[in-house]
Amino acid sequence: SLSMMAAEMGELEVVESCCELIRENNLDDVTAYTTLAHYYFRQKDIDADKILEICKQADEAFPTGAEMTHYRYYAAANLLKGEYDKALEAMEKLTASGVQNVSDANLYAVCGIAAGKDEVYDEMVETLANANFEISKNVDKYKAGKISIEKLFETAGGDFI
């Protein structure tokens, strides 16, 4: 979408304009919030507080929890703030009906490690192996204490892990 392309290119004014249009015309879509959170997540100096603010707005717009894709941004921002239990809780909500992709499995594993719940890491390793994938080498480096959470996201090039 144009809004996500603008987020990738760092064009905040375009992102905000697109997101406003999305909010005005599509009341059942969390895309406006996730795109804006994505913009802030891709910045060199990630503003975790701004991401959390956007995620809280998404929660207010979707109080039933029907739209939850913004929870991956909740998790990432809370990891960066050192709020590991909150990060893990966000990923538990996001994956309640199952892990949808490799990136989410890796992020969930990191949340588990950070929160001191290595069984989450083990579960994600098994989940990925069952789908013929492997946990990210950077997740293993984080688990071994070789890289920080900040470095983990930096190494991913503004993407999740």
Side-chain angles (χ1 to χ4, degrees), residues 103-149:
S103 182
D104 284 351
N106 283 310
L107 183 58
Y108 195 10
V110 169
C111 291
I113 296 163
K117 309 247 189 239
D118 283 349
E119 63 272 15
V120 173
Y121 167 85
D122 295 338
E123 181 184 340
M124 291 304 99
V125 167
E126 183 178 336
T127 296
L128 289 173
N130 288 339
N132 295 317
F133 290 100
E134 294 181 351
I135 202 86
S136 163
K137 295 198 183 324
N138 284 332
V139 172
D140 284 335
K141 286 180 185 176
Y142 172 70
K143 187 174 191 304
K146 294 181 179 178
I147 60 174
S148 66
I149 287 172

Side-chain angles (χ1 to χ4, degrees), residues 12-70:
L12 180 58
E13 289 180 21
V14 175
V15 172
E16 288 176 332
S17 295
C18 289
C19 290
E20 188 58 35
L21 284 171
I22 293 168
R23 279 193 291 266
E24 289 173 2
N25 295 297
N26 195 352
L27 300 176
D28 294 330
D29 193 343
V30 76
T31 301
Y33 302 97
T34 57
T35 301
L36 200 51
H38 184 75
Y39 167 82
Y40 284 102
F41 186 73
R42 289 201 41 90
Q43 301 308 300
K44 182 173 172 42
D45 295 317
I46 299 172
D47 186 345
D49 290 322
K50 185 68 175 173
I51 293 169
L52 290 173
E53 177 186 321
I54 293 164
C55 290
K56 287 175 184 166
Q57 291 171 3
D59 279 345
E60 290 168 8
F62 300 97
T64 63
E67 287 284 344
M68 299 193 346
T69 55
H70 63 287

